[in-house]
Amino acid sequence: MNTSLKLGVNVDHVATLRQARYRTMPEAHNVEPSVLEAARTALRAGAHSITIHLRADRRHIQDADVWELRKEPGLLMNLEMGNTPEIVAIALQVKPAFVCLVPEHREEVTTEGGLDVAGLRGSLEATVRALEANGTRVSLFIDPEAEQVRASAAIGASMVELHTGTFANETGEKRAEEARRLAEAAELAHGLGLQVNAGHGLTVANLKDLAGVPHLAELNIGHHLVSRAVTVGLEAAVKEMLAAMSNSLSPA
Ligand code: PXP
């Protein structure tokens, strides 16, 4: 049982639903659903932080959402973002508690692979150091590879978020093998002083297969929680996930 493991709830899909109807009329009096209300509900249910991804194409979360959530007392914001001058400038103004830097490609449905921190070290290091100096703890979303973990520590990030997309999409022995890769990366990251987070594709059902991954501090979960919310409500979905986390995963 891991009582210290935290849950960050990604509410991008709440904005996706709103944009599906109200993209062209953001000021309408009847705009719904509310990203802020969803965030409040998730926190009330026990979530530790709220993750939002401000994409360059603004397909779901809008700048106004970022500022609205930033003003909410007690809300710890994890701002997911690409490393572009426009979005970095916004993050420096907003000063969220956390930033998670991700690779971002216009055509993708969701974040596809991890960041190539080793290859992009030059451009990433300036951003990481500027954000950290501005009071934001920075996480790098990476595939579970030793080279990427080492590069993340070398450029001054506080945290890595290990990409669990492959783990989630595989089954059987292939999933077990990916869990072993995640465990090795987590061990290495922890040894280098990095906080270890994980996310992408996690569900109540697949969480138990992550049990061998040590040192996990926080999981960031969106799609499954918002999907469950359609049938059981967001508060119940978050509570189910917190229960599964404390029952299935080993202590950090
Ligand atoms: N972590 C990162 C870095 C992501 O890009 C995403 C997807 O936005 C998530 C976690 C959450 O993934 P999911 O929506 O599959 O739970």
Side-chain angles (χ1 to χ4, degrees), residues 117-166:
V117 185
L120 298 170
R121 206 173 149 152
S123 56
L124 283 172
E125 179 159 9
T127 299
V128 170
R129 296 208 186 270
L131 289 167
E132 291 270 353
N134 201 42
T136 292
R137 297 184 70 219
V138 180
S139 167
L140 301 176
F141 186 54
I142 58 169
D143 290 321
E145 292 165 3
E147 184 189 23
Q148 303 301 342
V149 174
R150 287 202 187 90
S152 301
I155 66 170
S158 296
M159 309 175 274
V160 283
E161 180 170 323
L162 298 177
H163 192 325
T164 50
T166 303

Side-chain angles (χ1 to χ4, degrees), residues 198-222:
H200 215 281
L202 296 177
T203 66
V204 163
N206 68 24
L207 217 57
K208 62 183 182 323
D209 295 335
L210 265 192
V213 181
H215 310 302
L216 288 176
E218 182 163 317
L219 304 180
N220 283 307
I221 305 179

Side-chain angles (χ1 to χ4, degrees), residues 62-140:
Q62 307 296 301
D63 300 55
D65 294 316
V66 179
W67 287 107
E68 186 175 48
L69 265 57
R70 185 66 182 86
K71 288 191 203 118
E72 178 70 1
L75 185 150
L76 281 179
M77 178 186 293
N78 177 27
L79 183 63
E80 243 184 65
M81 52 181 264
N83 181 26
T84 63
E86 184 215 0
I87 305 287
V88 172
I90 292 171
L92 288 169
Q93 279 185 329
V94 170
K95 294 182 192 259
F98 317 112
V99 153
C100 180
L101 289 171
V102 300
E104 197 178 295
H105 309 290
R106 195 160 276 274
E107 301 306 326
E108 68 191 356
V109 174
T110 181
T111 317
E112 277 166 359
L115 262 182
D116 178 12
V117 185
L120 298 170
R121 206 173 149 152
S123 56
L124 283 172
E125 179 159 9
T127 299
V128 170
R129 296 208 186 270
L131 289 167
E132 291 270 353
N134 201 42
T136 292
R137 297 184 70 219
V138 180
S139 167
L140 301 176

